[in-house]
Amino acid sequence: MQNFLLFLLCRLTDLYYICWKESFNKEIMQLIDGKAISEQVKQEIAAEVAEIVAKGGKRPHLAAILVGHDGGSETYVAAKVKACEVCGFKSSLIRYEADVTEEELLAKVRELNEDADVDGFIVQLPLPKHISEQKVIETIDYRKDVDGFHPINVGRMSIGLPCYVSATPNGILELLKRYHIETQGKKCVVLGRSNIVGKPMAALMMQKSYPGDATVTVCHSRSKDLVKECQEADIIIAALGQPNFVKADMVKEGAVIIDVGTTRVPDASKKSGFKLTGDVKFDEVAPKCSYITPVPGGVGPMTIVSLMKNTLLAGKKAIYKLSLIHISEPT
Ligand code: GUN
């Protein structure tokens, strides 16, 4: 009897030790604070601009074209103008009513292409249905395309050449870098295949560099094994635009979760009448992760900061020398 009790005590001690060790080893979830990082990056940019100007250099100038009065676009453009102020850039906002003709808009784009004072410019998307977004994007001189949407920038990005990388994927890379998140050899699932986020994100995560060197799978609305792919992923980048799509049972313990979603979901308790909602069911997914971005305050602020970084590059002519290349008219 005495021996049995001793045996039982030993096994209980072992069990207690195993449980203690397990809880000790379990990773603690870290919230990726995009807001704080974005403020830090803006201060870094502002310091560099102050130095350029103090040495007699030109203050970078970003122009933005806004067509119509879409609520989301108004908010984004206002935030971009504000960020320019913080960074010490000059900014110009050019507004058109939603019934502007495509030709009138294209004429403004050509004018900005030729304006030596404007280092870079964007046309806020989406545009009204009667205007071809692709035509507008292709009319922008790629050397001033700080959004990184022009096919020349997209192509150069995909083969790792210097270019303007589109803002959201670049902002995500910056977050991975600043949090020293390992990506080499990791299984990365990108949810969504948009030209602005999903496709460039996948290309960048497979690039031979850090962050990158990952094994990338892109899942979309026609994917058959989306849940299984997510369950096996070390990193999930959710950019579907479907609120709360990623649930806890789709996420493996210790995964890194980047939430790009920012859908406006009606919420009567908010003054604005809506709540920005991510693609990830945050409350149930967060406890399983090693790192996760919140919505808002994760990827969103980094998108704007990436545009600021591209504008600084444009101001410094760090990627393209404007005077050397002839601008050809799009067909
Ligand atoms: N609409 C949504 N995101 C973006 C962006 O990054 N750039 C532009 N121009 N329009 C957008």
Side-chain angles (χ1 to χ4, degrees):
M1 185 63 183
Q2 216 173 6
N3 278 352
F4 177 71
L5 282 175
L6 193 64
F7 172 80
L8 204 64
L9 188 67
C10 285
R11 295 287 75 80
L12 281 172
T13 312
D14 283 352
L15 195 66
Y16 177 76
Y17 174 71
I18 289 165
C19 290
W20 173 80
K21 203 163 168 277
E22 279 282 297
S23 65
F24 192 76
N25 281 346
K26 200 171 168 169
E27 280 183 284
I28 295 166
M29 184 276 286
Q30 203 177 337
L31 199 65
I32 298 180
D33 190 344
K35 178 102 182 68
I37 299 287
S38 73
E39 293 305 328
Q40 200 179 321
V41 179
K42 277 187 274 187
Q43 291 313 315
E44 290 165 11
I45 295 172
E48 198 173 336
V49 171
E51 206 179 310
I52 292 169
V53 174
K55 285 183 183 157
K58 181 183 172 298
R59 194 177 287 283
H61 180 184
L62 175 73
I65 301 179
L66 176 58
V67 179
H69 299 274
D70 172 77
S73 295
E74 291 271 3
T75 308
Y76 287 129
V77 170
K80 289 170 187 180
V81 169
K82 178 82 190 16
C84 281
E85 216 176 282
V86 176
C87 293
F89 297 159
K90 178 178 172 185
S91 69
S92 305
L93 175 57
I94 301 142
R95 304 194 65 129
Y96 288 101
E97 289 303 320
D99 60 358
V100 65
T101 65
E102 184 178 271
E103 201 36 60
E104 201 178 338
L105 186 60
L106 292 176
K108 179 50 86 178
V109 168
R110 292 190 192 102
E111 189 188 311
L112 293 176
N113 283 344
E114 301 293 337
D115 186 338
D117 192 59
V118 173
D119 298 295
F121 66 98
I122 63 159
V123 179
Q124 187 65 26
L125 305 178
L127 291 171
K129 294 231 168 347
H130 65 281
I131 300 174
S132 158
E133 290 188 351
Q134 198 53 34
K135 206 164 174 181
V136 170
I137 288 169
E138 289 185 40
T139 304
I140 298 173
D141 182 340
Y142 67 92
R143 295 163 300 172
K144 292 193 177 189
D145 167 41
V146 283
D147 257 335
F149 293 168
H150 192 285
I152 292 182
N153 281 313
V154 175
R156 290 177 67 92
M157 181 272 299
S158 71
I159 55 171
L161 293 176
C163 63
Y164 296 120
V165 176
S166 62
T168 302
N170 217 13
I172 293 169
L173 293 188
E174 191 68 33
L175 287 178
L176 295 173
K177 235 189 275 180
R178 298 234 175 190
Y179 278 83
H180 310 287
I181 293 170
E182 263 186 61
T183 57
Q184 190 181 58
K186 301 289 180 190
K187 283 189 176 179
C188 173
V189 167
V190 177
L191 298 176
R193 54 178 162 179
S194 70
N195 289 346
I196 293 180
V197 185
K199 283 181 198 145
M201 196 70 244
L204 291 163
M205 288 304 285
M206 74 170 86
Q207 208 80 258
K208 208 169 184 167
S209 63
Y210 175 77
D213 274 330
T215 304
V216 182
T217 304
V218 180
C219 294
H220 46 78
S221 52
R222 298 283 181 270
S223 295
K224 283 215 173 76
D225 292 323
L226 187 147
V227 171
K228 188 170 155 279
E229 295 291 352
C230 287
Q231 285 166 341
E232 290 170 2
D234 302 303
I235 303 168
I236 298 176
I237 302 174
L240 289 166
Q242 286 191 41
N244 300 318
F245 181 87
V246 179
K247 315 272 192 310
D249 62 355
M250 293 165 69
V251 174
K252 123 174 147 180
E253 202 74 48
V256 175
I257 308 291
I258 307 291
D259 190 350
V260 185
T262 49
T263 308
R264 289 179 164 199
V265 172
D267 184 342
S269 72
K270 301 269 176 203
K271 209 171 120 202
S272 59
F274 66 84
K275 180 175 149 207
L276 275 191
T277 308
D279 286 359
V280 178
K281 207 158 191 292
F282 185 89
D283 292 347
E284 62 174 64
V285 171
K288 293 185 84 176
C289 305
S290 53
Y291 294 89
I292 188 166
T293 59
V295 175
V299 173
M302 291 307 292
T303 298
I304 293 175
V305 144
S306 300
L307 176 67
M308 298 298 116
K309 283 177 82 177
N310 280 348
T311 303
L312 180 60
L313 291 172
K316 294 197 293 186
K317 307 287 175 279
I319 294 174
Y320 303 118
K321 305 276 175 273
L322 273 158
S323 57
L324 298 178
I325 311 166
H326 173 72
I327 307 167
S328 58
E329 286 289 307
T331 48

